[in-house]
Amino acid sequence: MQVLRYREGAYHEEEISVESISSRTSFNEDYDVTWIRVTGLGDTALLEQLGEKFHIHMLALEGIVNTMQRPKFEDYGAYFFVVLKSIHSWEQEENIPISQVSMLVGEKIVITFEEKEEFFFHAVWERVVSNKGLIRKKKADFLAYSLVDAIVDSYFSVLEKLGEELEQLEERLIYDPDKEAIHAIHRMKRQMLQLRRALWPLREVIGNMERGVTSLIHSTTTVYLRDVYDHVIDMLDVIENYREMLSGMLDIYLSSVSNRMNEIMKVLTVISTIFIPLTFITSLYGMNFIFMPELKYQWAYPAVLGVMLLISLAMILFFWRKKWL
Amino acid sequence: MQVLRYREGAYHEEEISVESISSRTSFNEDYDVTWIRVTGLGDTALLEQLGEKFHIHMLALEGIVNTMQRPKFEDYGAYFFVVLKSIHSWEQEENIPISQVSMLVGEKIVITFEEKEEFFFHAVWERVVSNKGLIRKKKADFLAYSLVDAIVDSYFSVLEKLGEELEQLEERLIYDPDKEAIHAIHRMKRQMLQLRRALWPLREVIGNMERGVTSLIHSTTTVYLRDVYDHVIDMLDVIENYREMLSGMLDIYLSSVSNRMNEIMKVLTVISTIFIPLTFITSLYGMNFIFMPELKYQWAYPAVLGVMLLISLAMILFFWRKKWL
Amino acid sequence: MQVLRYREGAYHEEEISVESISSRTSFNEDYDVTWIRVTGLGDTALLEQLGEKFHIHMLALEGIVNTMQRPKFEDYGAYFFVVLKSIHSWEQEENIPISQVSMLVGEKIVITFEEKEEFFFHAVWERVVSNKGLIRKKKADFLAYSLVDAIVDSYFSVLEKLGEELEQLEERLIYDPDKEAIHAIHRMKRQMLQLRRALWPLREVIGNMERGVTSLIHSTTTVYLRDVYDHVIDMLDVIENYREMLSGMLDIYLSSVSNRMNEIMKVLTVISTIFIPLTFITSLYGMNFIFMPELKYQWAYPAVLGVMLLISLAMILFFWRKKWL
Amino acid sequence: MQVLRYREGAYHEEEISVESISSRTSFNEDYDVTWIRVTGLGDTALLEQLGEKFHIHMLALEGIVNTMQRPKFEDYGAYFFVVLKSIHSWEQEENIPISQVSMLVGEKIVITFEEKEEFFFHAVWERVVSNKGLIRKKKADFLAYSLVDAIVDSYFSVLEKLGEELEQLEERLIYDPDKEAIHAIHRMKRQMLQLRRALWPLREVIGNMERGVTSLIHSTTTVYLRDVYDHVIDMLDVIENYREMLSGMLDIYLSSVSNRMNEIMKVLTVISTIFIPLTFITSLYGMNFIFMPELKYQWAYPAVLGVMLLISLAMILFFWRKKWL
Amino acid sequence: MQVLRYREGAYHEEEISVESISSRTSFNEDYDVTWIRVTGLGDTALLEQLGEKFHIHMLALEGIVNTMQRPKFEDYGAYFFVVLKSIHSWEQEENIPISQVSMLVGEKIVITFEEKEEFFFHAVWERVVSNKGLIRKKKADFLAYSLVDAIVDSYFSVLEKLGEELEQLEERLIYDPDKEAIHAIHRMKRQMLQLRRALWPLREVIGNMERGVTSLIHSTTTVYLRDVYDHVIDMLDVIENYREMLSGMLDIYLSSVSNRMNEIMKVLTVISTIFIPLTFITSLYGMNFIFMPELKYQWAYPAVLGVMLLISLAMILFFWRKKWL
Ligand SMILES: [Mg+2]
Ligand SMILES: [Mg+2]
Ligand SMILES: [Mg+2]
Ligand SMILES: [Mg+2]
Ligand SMILES: [Mg+2]
Ligand SMILES: [Mg+2]
Ligand SMILES: [Mg+2]
Ligand SMILES: [Mg+2]
Ligand SMILES: [Mg+2]
Ligand SMILES: [Mg+2]
Ligand SMILES: [Mg+2]
Ligand SMILES: [Mg+2]
Ligand SMILES: [Mg+2]
Ligand SMILES: [Mg+2]
Ligand SMILES: [Mg+2]
Ligand SMILES: [Mg+2]
Ligand SMILES: [Mg+2]
Ligand SMILES: [Mg+2]
Ligand SMILES: [Mg+2]
Ligand SMILES: [Mg+2]
Ligand SMILES: [Mg+2]
Ligand SMILES: [Mg+2]
Ligand SMILES: [Mg+2]
Ligand SMILES: [Mg+2]
Ligand SMILES: [Mg+2]
Ligand SMILES: [Mg+2]
Ligand SMILES: [Mg+2]
Ligand SMILES: [Mg+2]
Ligand SMILES: [Mg+2]
Ligand SMILES: [Mg+2]
């Protein structure tokens, strides 16, 4: 459990053990904001200690541990509780690894609970320590905004990566559609589904923070939350767009499979249809009847060859007209 | 008809017969909450007795027996009436067995009507008896919440089971798509439909309980109902997700069927197209014309064999270029 | 034109001719409710007489005759006007026979206009005459509710009938999908469409009656209308469910057609691919070249037979591996 | 530019030239309503003169001429502006000819601008002149209603015509599905799209007129507008229904194409599979090997014929069992 | 950075360098409106200078540079900020080139930021300079309207161009459907998606400007914005229509591919089915059995020819009846 306390002029970093939580009388002392950062959700004792110390509602504590839920916002009066989903380092695997980040925001305190260590949070921590931007001049609500913003920004890079993959996939589909392509389309469709599920409820979450449901968010922070909100909407729009593109690509793939089938059938039909009648003729004169007068004529063989040539040409002309050749 | 009465310090369990209902003057005596549990809906006399005793509206009584309706909430002033759907033990059968649970909630009383015995209710009964958690400290509205919560929680395990089956089905689809797969996809689609039908109206039901439509729900219980509400939303989201995954799997199946057809056609076409012209040539020299000078040349046979070899190679090259081989 | 007047203690049945309408000064006399029942919409004179007598708005009169409209509710102040659709005896024909019932409801009067005679209305009439249930104790608004309820209830039996047909169709699809099945699916889809069109606007109609748009509905009747409303919603839900099941069945049918095509192609391909090369070989040794040394070897024939056997076995192994056999 | 002025007791018809517009001081004189009817939108001078005379907003004038817009309602205070789409004589062509009608409605004046001459308007004009119905007793708002009603009514006949065509198409599809059918389905789908585009915004337009957005509509006219509104809704419902039927027909067509393909393949497969092995056998005994002992047995030929018969029967039995025959 | 200042009687054009911005004390002097036009978004120094000079919020400055966002409207009190998408010269390429235009509108000032030079803005500039229309008589809000209007109008020509292409594509599809057609359909579908993404959020943007969210828009400008709003709605309707037409065209294409496959299969089946049995017969009498009495009959050959003729005719009749010929 790492603790960072700061006001405009000063800051204090500390590592606190579970045992020492209850013995502490005050957390804020003479700082404006206290950020308590808990990494990993396995330490039940720690959660219980924190719950008692800060009077956290049992249901909120349950929400921190239950990673099967959608992002949500809950107002408990003295503090509000936010559940978010973040994206982690990800290398072309089947599913995008999504983990959960919960946040309790009070007037002077922000407690974050990370399922896996969030690297985007290190950057925020660094910004406080090095006093970059507005963060040290602002209160706990601005820290909460900065953390939400860090998570939302991390989706952009994933979307860009998927966008590039989409374009490559599209080119591959036009020049060389194969069985792999359809699996890639479906994998990307699922990834879009994953992203949409993680982002869609964020609209409501950030909307609730921004719309003044809670009095803990100052009006000056509202415009910043609105900006994050717009980013979420922009990304949802991009996802919707990618999804429609993937549907279009599926259609192209299926119609190219149909076209190839057509081509195969044409070749089979042309070859069969030309040679089957010819083979019938040759087979006819391969019969062993004793009384077959044609067999004895000297010009019969070249005549039959000529007839077969004519039939072939007629067939080819027929296929030419049907545009099968 | 089992009756459980309790207050913070005490409880009383009792089995009451139909006949004795009307003779009873009071049910609550000196307890805070009375829970009457009716199992099975066949006993019309019992329902009528209860209806008279507790002034239950005729339409509510009808609603208890009619198992063809959707979950709903109805406010009758002195009490409110809730219809829910629960899931029972279920072993890979075609349809998920869904049964109905109705609940009448008054200020000091909760009457439950179970189509089939609900095992989840035993756990709640046990919690009252053994005074676990908050339930004994709270009133009838909290008991009602606990019962709704027990039912909603039972859906989670079903969803998990279906989720695992879905993953197995997905793997099977990629490595060995057969006729059974499509029936499995459609069975799961129907099961999702069943679950969604049972859960979707719960949003409104719990929403009505929580939003203070009735004054029988105390404001402290609201936050617990909100939590159940969120669970329902989370599950609906998972169901929607599974449905989209099943649609994607149907697409994969159909495109794999197309691909296999293509492969079959390719084999047929390659073999036919190579041998049909060759067979024509052999058939040509099987004709019995007397004047066929080629037949008498000593090198004619090997020459024809050579020509046929060349034709085969040309064909194979052609198919190679078309990527049919 | 049949007229039924009643109060809690008495009732009066009467058949009134068109001519006598205008000469009557009062219809209610000392009864609480007057129900005028008009069967068939062809008698323009009657409609005009009624329109004048009861000051019915021209547009309402038009609405009674025009059977091409959707169910609707219209408030004219002194009375309200309701258009409904009812279902008639129906024997597996293509379309469900739907006819129109209009209703004018004033403070003490209900006038019904039936396109075809409604048998469900006889039951309500009977209930008034024999004083069953609450109907004689209540006013005109309760009669209106009873009539709407009678119509809505008649949809249930149709839905059950269609539900059974659906299950039979589903079984037939799995065990023996044929051309008829697809026509049955499409017929049922259209019937669902018909039912939905008749029921969907009822939500709004009953909603308007219940929500107190008109002061002619007493608050005690509201709970009964709410019950009918819920029945409509339940049925719409069932219809939606049936529609999704029909879509699923269409998918199963189409994929079974694809599968059968695959099977047909496999048989053709296996037989062709085995015999085409063999026939080539036999055809080869059917050529009449003079210099074909193989023809003279004594072991040539069994050798060729052996080679052909080997080729067949290789082919069969190949198909076995591809799972085409 | 034709002008019709009327009050309950009198009317006055007049043809006014562009030049004389500006010199006129009053249009209403001692009449209640003035209807100015402009046919054709090409006369810019006329539009400008009218714009100046009646203080029409520049944007409304632009709206009259721009025929690429959707139906709309605009309130300019002293008058309101309505754009509608009407349907013209139409004979089985590809697209339904839709033209634009704009209407400016003031307290005592209605100015209509018709892209093409509207024959439905002649009937309204005639009704004023011959004093039929309520129109002469009412004011300008009722004239506006009557004109909107005339346009909406003209859609009914188009819908009926399309409905009949749809039924014919449906029968043709079941008994003889051909290439033309699919083009007919798609033509009708487009026509439905056209109709829906013209009608859909009418809901809002008439809704605005009726809901008292403008004070120029008297409350007694509202009920008439509500009736037109319901007609529009009824027609949209019919269109939606037709669209779903067309989708169903497309599905039937496509599945019948699949079925025919299946049938073709079955014939090919049955014939090929029976004769290919037989031909192999005959070809076998057509080989010219010197040492083929079978050839010399007297019973060999009938034996081979018998074997071939048995193979054929086995094949036929196989196909019979597979239901391919 | 070009600056244009004007009032009804005068105007002043100026080119201002980045350096001189901060030294200027006033921008409006004795003019009513100042339009500052910034072309290209690369000059960070310029943006910072402007931001400081006019107290532009950091988030608005970020919004100007970030071209990955959707059109939006933001109210900052003393000014409002609008992001739009414009379309540039475009010659049948894959994607429609869309660039971003941002606009800051204060009481007396409009600052525009163009990603690429907007030629539509030159026309507005020209209108101010040459005092055409109302623009010089109005304030900054009317200039803002004129710029939005110029951008929206530019979409019309793109839609017309795409409409014409659509019609050509449709004709091509009916008379000669080929592989290119499907790529053209998909290209157009994507272009429609692009246009819809650029236009859809404009509804909200212009709606916000018009609905008086900001007090900077005078009520007289509202009616003009409403007109632009309607144009956007009209275009979205056209796009929706084109999208449904493209879907219909995709269906036509796919069904024509199916039909062609059917035709190919029919030819193959007819030819194969006629000749395969005939070839069997010829092959039969090509066998070399010594005891084949038929071979010696004088009429055997013509008899076999006759039988084969009969079989052919029977086959042709069969195909004729099945409508395969
Ligand atoms: Mg969702
Ligand atoms: Mg949605
Ligand atoms: Mg959007
Ligand atoms: Mg969106
Ligand atoms: Mg979305
Ligand atoms: Mg959307
Ligand atoms: Mg959607
Ligand atoms: Mg739903
Ligand atoms: Mg949902
Ligand atoms: Mg949701
Ligand atoms: Mg959902
Ligand atoms: Mg959704
Ligand atoms: Mg609907
Ligand atoms: Mg539903
Ligand atoms: Mg529903
Ligand atoms: Mg529904
Ligand atoms: Mg529905
Ligand atoms: Mg639904
Ligand atoms: Mg629409
Ligand atoms: Mg509908
Ligand atoms: Mg509707
Ligand atoms: Mg509709
Ligand atoms: Mg619609
Ligand atoms: Mg609909
Ligand atoms: Mg969108
Ligand atoms: Mg949309
Ligand atoms: Mg739209
Ligand atoms: Mg539309
Ligand atoms: Mg629209
Ligand atoms: Mg739309």
Side-chain angles (χ1 to χ4, degrees), chain D residues 15-274:
Chain D
E15 177 86 37
I16 294 178
S17 66
V18 192
E19 293 76 27
S20 60
I21 295 175
S22 55
S23 58
R24 285 284 192 107
T25 45
S26 170
F27 264 82
N28 273 68
E29 286 142 26
D30 38 19
Y31 293 101
D32 283 352
V33 184
T34 301
W35 176 10
I36 300 176
R37 196 175 166 196
V38 181
T39 313
L41 306 176
D43 192 345
T44 329
L46 173 63
L47 288 177
E48 274 172 21
Q49 289 284 331
L50 282 170
E52 237 172 81
K53 186 78 195 170
F54 296 104
H55 311 290
I56 306 174
H57 196 287
M58 194 196 75
L59 291 171
L61 283 176
E62 270 176 34
I64 291 163
V65 182
N66 169 19
T67 60
M68 301 273 273
Q69 61 196 318
R70 304 163 74 224
K72 73 171 138 214
F73 168 90
E74 271 166 18
D75 185 18
Y76 287 95
Y79 57 90
F80 64 85
F81 176 58
V82 169
V83 177
L84 301 167
K85 299 286 172 182
S86 73
I87 294 180
H88 277 256
S89 62
W90 158 74
E91 292 297 337
Q92 282 280 44
E93 302 153 61
E94 267 294 312
N95 291 314
I96 301 170
I98 286 176
S99 72
Q100 181 166 310
V101 182
S102 309
M103 213 184 283
L104 263 163
V105 184
E107 234 215 296
K108 299 187 142 195
I109 197 161
V110 174
I111 315 180
T112 56
F113 304 88
E114 307 160 30
E115 191 186 348
K116 287 177 197 163
E117 200 181 343
E118 297 296 331
F119 291 93
F120 322 111
F121 280 11
H122 296 337
V124 178
W125 189 285
E126 210 30 56
R127 233 152 66 207
V128 174
V129 167
S130 59
N131 198 1
K132 266 191 210 140
L134 295 165
I135 201 160
R136 280 270 279 278
K137 291 177 196 76
K138 301 263 184 176
K139 306 298 179 228
D141 61 337
F142 196 84
L143 175 58
Y145 147 72
S146 302
L147 295 170
V148 172
D149 184 51
I151 286 171
V152 169
D153 281 353
S154 73
Y155 281 87
F156 269 116
S157 62
V158 173
L159 272 180
E160 257 170 51
K161 198 173 170 181
L162 287 171
E164 278 162 35
E165 211 187 322
L166 201 78
E167 265 170 49
Q168 283 168 24
L169 188 55
E170 196 161 34
E171 260 179 39
R172 207 168 100 198
L173 253 186
I174 292 174
Y175 298 110
D176 177 22
D178 60 355
K179 226 170 161 174
E180 293 309 298
I182 196 123
H183 283 117
I185 289 172
H186 277 105
R187 176 177 50 73
M188 290 199 73
K189 269 192 154 181
R190 281 194 59 177
Q191 290 173 334
M192 293 304 157
L193 225 64
Q194 274 190 288
L195 285 175
R196 202 184 55 173
R197 282 190 70 206
L199 275 170
W200 185 257
L202 269 187
R203 290 162 57 260
E204 215 186 313
V205 169
I206 302 175
N208 276 326
M209 287 171 74
E210 177 215 341
R211 246 174 278 122
V213 170
T214 171
S215 59
L216 294 164
I217 305 273
H218 303 292
S219 63
T220 53
T221 308
T222 295
V223 67
Y224 293 95
L225 283 168
R226 180 76 208 172
D227 189 58
V228 184
Y229 183 90
D230 282 344
H231 288 177
V232 171
I233 296 289
D234 288 354
M235 287 192 271
L236 281 170
D237 199 59
V238 170
I239 290 170
E240 209 56 37
N241 204 29
Y242 284 178
R243 276 164 57 94
E244 297 210 36
M245 280 166 70
L246 284 166
S247 292
M249 283 157 73
L250 191 61
D251 285 351
I252 288 192
Y253 175 80
L254 292 176
S255 76
S256 89
V257 167
S258 281
N259 274 321
R260 233 178 320 154
M261 184 75 109
N262 253 343
E263 209 189 343
I264 293 173
M265 292 311 301
K266 269 192 249 171
V267 168
L268 177 59
T269 304
V270 166
I271 296 286
S272 297
T273 320
I274 290 176

Side-chain angles (χ1 to χ4, degrees), chain C residues 70 190 263 265 282 285 301, chain D residues 170 233 283 288 294 322:
Chain C
R70 303 162 75 222
R190 280 193 60 177
E263 208 188 346
M265 292 311 302
T282 59
Y285 293 109
Y301 177 51
Chain D
E170 196 161 34
I233 296 289
S283 196
N288 298 322
E294 302 96 307
K322 285 214 164 236

